[in-house]
Amino acid sequence: MSYPDGLLGDDENVVVHKHPHWKMLLGPVLVLFVVVGGASYLAALVATTDWRLPVWSALGVVGLLLIVWFTLAPLLRWRTTHFVITTHRLMVREGVFTRSGIDIPMWRINSVRCRRGLVDRLFGCGTLVVESASDEPLEFDDIPQVEQVQTLLYGEVGDGAQHRPQEG
């Protein structure tokens, strides 16, 4: 799963490229099962009535809209969210139609820490907190294997000191 090389500098390499943890898709999958199950149950209830065709059509339209809004949209958001650590910077890109992102040069990162609750520990993910020269720390939720990512990012921050711009 490589990151597009066109977005990297000449001597820049990808160290880590991750999507958010799959646990964020549990809710949308549950919605999918509830919508399909509920629509199937309602369709079976009206199967013997004279007005079953209009009801089935309405159930199909409403079910499709619910599935698109509550299942496919979160799946697309998950798939188009990238957490990338390179040898020079930390990049986060997200969005389907409107893309947004943030780049933090390694030399601007002051500290890196992670936070993992009970559910996060069960799933093997957590929140990565990056403090940089900006006012507020940045929190990145649902990072898979967050402790390994923290260690790799900390190592790159130490190595990134050599890429610090020279004042002068």
Side-chain angles (χ1 to χ4, degrees), residues 55-113:
V55 173
W56 286 349
S57 298
L59 284 173
V61 169
V62 170
L64 185 63
L65 288 174
L66 289 173
I67 289 171
V68 166
W69 189 261
F70 291 109
T71 301
L72 292 180
L75 178 63
L76 277 174
R77 275 193 299 275
W78 173 82
R79 186 69 184 126
T80 59
T81 300
H82 301 272
F83 181 84
V84 182
I85 299 172
T86 71
T87 51
H88 297 295
R89 58 190 164 152
L90 166 66
M91 299 186 295
V92 177
R93 300 285 187 270
E94 56 191 359
V96 179
F97 299 112
T98 302
R99 302 279 297 161
S100 63
I102 185 168
D103 289 11
I104 305 171
M106 288 298 169
W107 61 270
R108 302 256 328 216
I109 296 175
N110 296 331
S111 69
V112 180
R113 51 192 169 100

Side-chain angles (χ1 to χ4, degrees), residues 48 74 76 107 112 119 124 139 143-144 157 164 166:
T48 58
L76 277 174
W107 61 270
V112 180
V119 174
E139 294 189 6
I143 302 295
V157 166
R164 182 181 308 267
Q166 300 297 320

Side-chain angles (χ1 to χ4, degrees), residues 52 54 100 102 134 141 167:
R52 67 179 171 265
S100 63
I102 185 168
S134 66
D141 297 322
E167 296 181 20

Side-chain angles (χ1 to χ4, degrees), residues 3 6-7 10 16 21 35 54-55 93 96-97 111 114 119 127 130 133 136 145 155 159 161 168:
Y3 198 70
L7 298 177
D10 292 335
V16 173
H21 195 272
V35 168
V55 173
R93 300 285 187 270
V96 179
F97 299 112
S111 69
C114 69
V119 174
T127 300
V130 177
E136 296 293 322
Q145 302 164 337
D159 294 342

